Amino acid sequence: MNFAVLASGNGTNLQAIIKAIKAKQIKASLKVVLSDKSGAFALERARKAGVPCVVNLAPEQYLTREAFDQAMLDVLKKEEIDFVVLAGYMRILSPLFIEAYRHKILNIHPSLLPAFKGSHAIKDAFQFGVKVTGVTVHFVDEQVDHGVIIAQSAVEIGPNDTFDMLVEKVHEAEHKLYPYAINLFIRGKIKAPVVKAVPPVTGQHR
Ligand code: GAR
């Protein structure tokens, strides 16, 4: 199986994925690393690791979100990509992109979803004062930080933990969970999600 990583930033999750490929924990080919940010360190990491196709596309050069996503899809199609891994990719994907890879796009989010969605999840959890937060790997659907959950891992917040300590703990948990979840997906252990209808609640509650 061939896969692509989409990343906008530092790329520590990408690095963990590259390490897991080398260790044969992930048995698939990382063919493409694509970023929407020219300065993303993830691009540097990809080049250094010898990823065959490392691409930076600039969103401002496209008239619409769909046009930008179509340009990404063109790259993925050319490289025969089977599934897509978002690793700190901070742009919302269009329905066009999601439909093209339905149930084949994985994302990692630094909280125990559905708690603390959004781009400041670690800070929001810390400021809220929760005692346990964590990380989630899920399939991407049309809603932000939403979609069937593949794996989660909890991170405790100790009474003396600072925000920086928490950030470090969360990243450490991510770097373990993402290779694990990608491996499950590749081995076919996660079937296309079935959405179960919840029967409506009827009658009176006493
Ligand atoms: C990670 O913490 C990831 O969970 C988060 O961005 C960071 C990227 O770090 N993603 C989101 O918040 C998505 N909603 P990295 O570039 O070092 O892998």
Side-chain angles (χ1 to χ4, degrees), residues 9-14 87-88 90 107-110 118 145 171 174:
N10 189 1
T12 63
N13 279 286
L14 169 66
M90 300 313 258
N107 182 44
I108 190 155
H109 182 77
D145 297 329
H171 284 153
E174 288 189 324

Side-chain angles (χ1 to χ4, degrees), residues 7 23 36 45 51 54 71 76 98-99 112 157 164 194-195 199 205:
D36 59 326
R45 294 182 194 266
V51 174
V54 182
L76 303 189
I98 292 165
E99 195 48 50
L112 290 175
I157 306 178
D164 288 346
V194 178
V195 178
H205 292 284

